[in-house]
Amino acid sequence: MISFFEASLKQLSIHHTGNKLVEEYYKLSDAPLKIEDELLGNLLMQFFLKPFEKVNEVYRFYHPNDNLQLNEVFHFATEIFENNELFHEDSQQLAKHLYDVANHPKIKSGEMYVAYFQKVQLEGEQLDAIGIFKSETKDTYLKVYPEQDGFGMSYEQDAISINKLDKGCLIFNVDKTEGYKVVVFDQAKSSNDSTVYWKDEFLKLKIRNDSYNQTNNVLGVYKNFVTQKMDDEYEISKADKIDLLNRSMKYFKEKETFDIEEFGNEVIGNAEGIESFKNYKKNYEEEYESPIADSFEIAESAVKKQARAYKSVLKLDKNFHIYIHGNKDMIEKGYDDAKSMNYYKVYFREEE
């Protein structure tokens, strides 16, 4: 969903934010960082953008009072997009805001980076993006270097690993009136007050619930339901699983709107299976706090994206792959007692 192939880093400001509850303070830089070393620039691109490679969920800014201008990060991001000369000044304001919302004694101090990127691709569209990142984890590194007839060694404490960025978000300059498109990550796995402050208090984000997101989520949930959950409840062959996936993809390619009752009847076709899928969908919504409507307009772009992940290949040992695209009644499974092996019988009219 996110591609950085043509992306470039145009501006970067670095500040430090502490935890005021334990009497730590913030330190603001006076000017943006000048990046004149090409290798450093490439390392920074990897440091900032690599964590987003597997991020799929898109969010929007919001404010509890339904006034987006009261969302501090939205406000300062908008100023930067509209007047790039305010970049560093607004990065300082963002650092102050992060310091103010870090109201938990376990929140770690660390470096805060505000970056401006060009040509970051999101959902097929190249856009400018503002990145806000925080690094909290420090490491000790050993350095080995040639010395006279052998080698010497030194170390550096409290250094930052380019593979350990702790928190980040990318704000894309699109859909401003709806709260922009925002992607976010947080390496912290727990959900206590010391971790949720990044997304909930600092950024104030909500799930984007447009047709693309709804289509993408339903297809993803259904695929996992068929390939993983159904084995726990039913004895179902791989050929039948592939058939269920093919029928769901056919439904989404032919219909303009999704309706869960219609989908259940036309694709699953079994009352017990329909109820099981609804429960699986409900559990997903609760676990990921990502509500999926029972009816919505189908987004063709999301269908194309998910179609690449829908596999219709039946792999038989290392000898054969059978691609099933149509009627599953044209393939039968059996067992040969003489050879003590399973077999498939495939019916067809013409050989192409």
Side-chain angles (χ1 to χ4, degrees):
M1 183 179 70
I2 302 175
S3 172
F4 315 112
F5 182 71
E6 297 183 63
S8 58
L9 174 61
K10 294 302 181 183
Q11 289 179 285
L12 174 64
S13 292
I14 305 175
H15 311 288
H16 182 90
T17 61
N19 186 324
K20 60 184 175 183
L21 292 184
V22 294
E23 297 185 351
E24 295 174 345
Y25 300 96
Y26 61 79
K27 181 176 177 58
L28 306 179
S29 60
D30 293 330
L33 181 70
K34 292 183 179 180
I35 305 171
E36 298 175 347
D37 186 306
E38 183 177 353
L39 177 58
L40 175 60
N42 292 335
L43 289 173
L44 286 171
M45 289 286 287
Q46 178 183 345
F47 181 47
F48 293 138
L49 301 181
K50 188 175 177 60
F52 292 96
E53 287 180 338
K54 296 182 180 181
V55 172
N56 293 312
E57 197 68 80
V58 176
Y59 292 83
R60 306 280 197 193
F61 287 118
Y62 84 103
H63 192 274
N65 292 338
D66 294 326
N67 183 348
L68 268 174
Q69 290 300 326
L70 297 178
N71 182 308
E72 291 88 345
V73 181
F74 172 87
H75 170 76
F76 294 123
T78 299
E79 282 197 348
I80 293 171
F81 283 135
E82 293 180 352
N83 183 359
N84 203 249
E85 292 183 0
L86 295 174
F87 173 81
H88 185 71
E89 178 184 333
D90 283 334
S91 76
Q92 294 175 324
Q93 297 303 318
L94 287 167
K96 291 178 184 179
H97 173 51
L98 179 61
Y99 178 78
D100 287 337
V101 300
N103 292 316
H104 192 282
K106 291 186 178 181
I107 291 175
K108 297 178 181 179
S109 63
E111 283 68 42
M112 176 185 176
Y113 313 85
V114 182
Y116 195 93
F117 301 97
Q118 290 181 332
K119 293 186 177 180
V120 181
Q121 188 175 103
L122 175 69
E123 297 173 348
E125 187 176 8
Q126 282 191 341
L127 300 162
D128 284 4
I130 296 169
I132 306 174
F133 314 97
K134 189 182 179 193
S135 62
E136 302 168 339
T137 306
K138 300 297 187 345
D139 285 319
T140 299
Y141 289 94
L142 295 175
K143 181 178 181 181
V144 178
Y145 51 87
E147 185 179 67
Q148 297 178 353
D149 296 331
F151 293 91
M153 179 179 285
S154 63
Y155 65 91
E156 184 174 353
Q157 291 182 306
D158 296 328
I160 299 170
S161 168
I162 63 170
N163 297 315
K164 289 188 178 180
L165 190 60
D166 291 280
K167 294 172 172 58
C169 77
L170 288 174
I171 306 160
F172 292 88
N173 191 13
V174 66
D175 297 346
K176 171 188 171 183
T177 58
E178 298 174 40
Y180 294 119
K181 290 182 181 180
V182 184
V183 293
V184 64
F185 80 90
D186 190 338
Q187 298 289 12
K189 302 301 181 185
S190 60
S191 58
N192 55 48
D193 292 339
S194 66
T195 58
V196 299
Y197 82 98
W198 178 255
K199 181 167 71 74
D200 296 344
E201 299 299 326
F202 174 60
L203 296 169
K204 290 189 180 69
L205 297 176
K206 65 178 181 180
I207 291 287
R208 177 191 67 169
N209 252 350
D210 58 10
S211 61
Y212 180 94
N213 194 57
Q214 297 277 4
T215 304
N216 189 59
N217 280 350
V218 164
L219 281 168
V221 169
Y222 181 74
K223 176 177 177 288
N224 290 337
F225 170 72
V226 171
T227 58
Q228 300 173 19
K229 180 64 175 177
M230 292 191 84
D231 284 334
D232 298 336
E233 301 181 2
Y234 310 99
E235 290 187 8
I236 181 169
S237 70
K238 290 186 178 180
D240 286 331
K241 285 184 179 182
I242 290 172
D243 179 62
L244 284 169
L245 293 176
N246 285 341
R247 283 157 60 182
S248 67
M249 190 54 63
K250 182 174 184 291
Y251 175 94
F252 274 86
K253 286 181 177 179
E254 293 180 352
K255 304 285 186 177
E256 293 184 356
T257 59
F258 170 85
D259 179 84
I260 193 167
E261 299 299 333
E262 179 186 66
F263 178 82
N265 293 330
E266 292 188 14
V267 176
I268 301 175
N270 173 281
E272 188 177 348
I274 293 170
E275 190 63 27
S276 179
F277 172 63
K278 288 181 178 178
N279 290 333
Y280 188 80
K281 170 178 168 289
K282 182 180 178 181
N283 290 336
Y284 170 88
E285 292 174 297
E286 293 174 352
E287 181 177 356
Y288 293 97
E289 298 181 357
S290 181
I292 302 174
D294 288 341
S295 62
F296 53 82
E297 291 185 8
I298 292 173
E300 184 180 353
S301 57
V303 176
K304 289 181 178 178
K305 172 181 176 291
Q306 282 287 348
R308 294 192 291 269
Y310 267 54
K311 305 298 183 182
S312 58
V313 184
L314 192 61
K315 297 181 179 180
L316 309 177
D317 298 333
K318 294 183 179 180
N319 298 317
F320 305 102
H321 286 180
I322 300 177
Y323 291 79
I324 304 174
H325 300 295
N327 188 351
K328 75 177 182 66
D329 294 334
M330 296 296 102
I331 183 171
E332 295 179 5
K333 185 176 182 180
Y335 185 80
D336 189 305
D337 292 321
K339 294 185 177 181
S340 299
M341 296 180 72
N342 297 307
Y343 67 83
Y344 276 101
K345 184 186 292 185
V346 180
Y347 297 91
F348 64 95
R349 296 188 185 279
E350 295 181 7
E351 184 174 343
E352 296 182 3

